[in-house]
Amino acid sequence: MNEKLVSIITPCYNCSKFIGQMIESVQAQTYTNWELLITDDCSTDNSREIVEGYAKIDPRVKYFKLEQNSGAGIARNNSIKEALGRYIAFLDSDDLWAKNKLERQIDFIQKNEYKFIFCQAIVIDTDDNIVGYNKRKPKVSLFSTKVINYIGTSGVMYDTKEIGKFYMKPIRRRQDWVLWMDILKVTKYAYCQQEPLGIVRTNNTASLSGKKSKLPAYHIEVYNKYLGYPKPLAVLFFYCISLPCFLVKKLRYKFEYKKYRTEHPEKFHL
């Protein structure tokens, strides 16, 4: 284990439009002791050629490919398996980081002796326009994360020296949420750095309405199959507790975004 190395875990599937920008946001980090482990989930576009182009110039960028399409969770697990660093961080292929993200998070996790952290995030669209601000809670527990997930994947970092490596369950949906709950069983809390170090991309297309319509089924499945709730209790927990909290979170994010726009008018476009 390299105690100063941060291993960045990235799944890749048909992300040629954004993956170069993502890699460059990592290369621009003020903290330079990192490795970027990109596992390709059998892309059919030219994602491989783009990543390998960066890897030829920068050996910290490492490319892997799954033998068959298996989903983002399996792709992330492959990168976690290959990781050599003490710290595991996650960054999705279409997301970005502020230049000081790793430097600020390493300082945050070490000074406070935390084991599991995440950060706030700005939300951008496919044209890099800022469209939201996810101001997350300073601390979350296992129970609160069962109710609603405030932990954004591309802002997470955990300490493998303290808690070991954790892997995602072999499920297609909500595998990141389940992973956070697995880690919280050991750490009890995850702590959020109160500054927007992550830049999360949202795809504002009509297809999103279809994805949102599947939200209840995905959540109920996690409550039922992962947490072991009987199906009626899983349904009741989602509709009576989780969904109302989710709607409150969305309203809170809208309020925080309006406030952010007022305080940072210069940041309408990255």
Side-chain angles (χ1 to χ4, degrees):
M1 177 192 295
N2 184 328
E3 295 220 353
K4 294 184 179 180
L5 181 68
V6 179
S7 296
I8 304 163
I9 308 303
T10 298
C12 166
Y13 180 72
N14 290 349
C15 53
S16 58
K17 183 177 180 181
F18 301 114
I19 197 162
Q21 190 179 4
M22 180 277 294
I23 294 171
E24 289 173 11
S25 84
V26 176
Q27 290 177 319
Q29 291 297 301
T30 54
Y31 186 90
T32 58
N33 197 354
W34 52 262
E35 60 175 353
L36 176 57
L37 305 155
I38 301 173
T39 295
D40 188 351
D41 192 20
C42 299
S43 295
T44 57
D45 64 2
N46 64 330
S47 294
R48 176 174 184 165
E49 290 76 12
I50 293 172
V51 175
E52 288 184 334
Y54 284 95
K56 287 178 182 178
I57 300 170
D58 189 342
R60 296 174 299 176
V61 179
K62 302 175 182 180
Y63 176 85
F64 308 92
K65 185 177 181 181
L66 298 180
E67 293 183 359
Q68 62 183 21
N69 180 266
S70 304
I74 301 301
R76 291 189 182 105
N77 284 348
N78 183 72
S79 291
I80 294 170
K81 180 186 71 175
E82 299 288 344
L84 300 175
R86 171 177 178 175
Y87 299 101
I88 296 288
F90 294 86
L91 178 59
D92 284 349
S93 57
D94 56 351
D95 292 342
L96 307 168
W97 282 345
K99 290 182 179 181
N100 62 342
K101 190 266 188 187
L102 287 181
E103 181 181 4
R104 295 289 296 149
Q105 281 204 304
I106 287 292
D107 184 66
F108 184 63
I109 200 170
Q110 290 181 346
K111 280 188 175 179
N112 296 289
E113 297 184 348
Y114 292 147
K115 301 176 181 67
F116 181 22
I117 64 171
F118 59 109
C119 62
Q120 297 174 0
I122 294 168
V123 182
I124 61 173
D125 63 15
T126 54
D127 296 317
D128 291 350
N129 299 301
I130 295 176
V131 296
Y133 178 48
N134 294 348
K135 187 174 183 181
R136 293 159 176 147
K137 292 186 175 182
K139 181 173 74 172
V140 298
S141 66
L142 174 59
F143 178 77
S144 69
T145 303
K146 287 180 182 178
V147 175
I148 185 168
N149 181 25
Y150 271 98
I151 302 173
T153 302
S154 291
V156 164
M157 180 183 288
Y158 73 85
D159 186 346
T160 66
K161 183 179 180 180
E162 294 296 326
I163 63 175
K165 284 186 178 181
F166 279 75
Y167 293 87
M168 293 191 170
K169 295 289 190 294
I171 54 178
R172 284 277 183 173
R173 305 288 183 180
R174 300 297 184 265
Q175 68 278 146
D176 50 350
W177 178 34
V178 172
L179 176 61
W180 313 150
M181 289 190 282
D182 280 343
I183 297 175
L184 284 165
K185 290 176 183 177
V186 174
T187 64
K188 295 186 179 179
Y189 297 104
Y191 297 88
C192 180
Q193 200 156 2
Q194 296 296 292
E195 52 186 313
L197 301 173
I199 303 168
V200 179
R201 195 181 304 275
T202 183
N203 185 8
N204 293 321
T205 64
S207 63
L208 281 184
S209 60
K211 292 180 182 179
K212 289 178 180 178
S213 69
K214 296 178 181 178
L215 176 68
Y218 295 151
H219 275 65
I220 290 168
E221 182 179 21
V222 167
Y223 293 140
N224 178 227
K225 294 184 178 180
Y226 170 70
L227 296 177
Y229 294 179
K231 190 65 174 288
L233 179 59
V235 172
L236 188 67
F237 192 89
F238 173 76
Y239 282 105
C240 295
I241 300 177
S242 179
L243 183 58
C245 290
F246 173 79
L247 296 174
V248 170
K249 181 181 83 167
K250 289 298 182 182
L251 288 173
R252 180 171 175 261
Y253 279 175
K254 286 184 178 181
F255 170 79
E256 294 295 347
Y257 173 49
K258 290 180 179 179
K259 183 180 177 182
Y260 184 82
R261 284 182 60 176
T262 301
E263 294 175 351
H264 302 277
E266 76 286 357
K267 291 188 177 180
F268 266 151
H269 192 283
L270 293 181

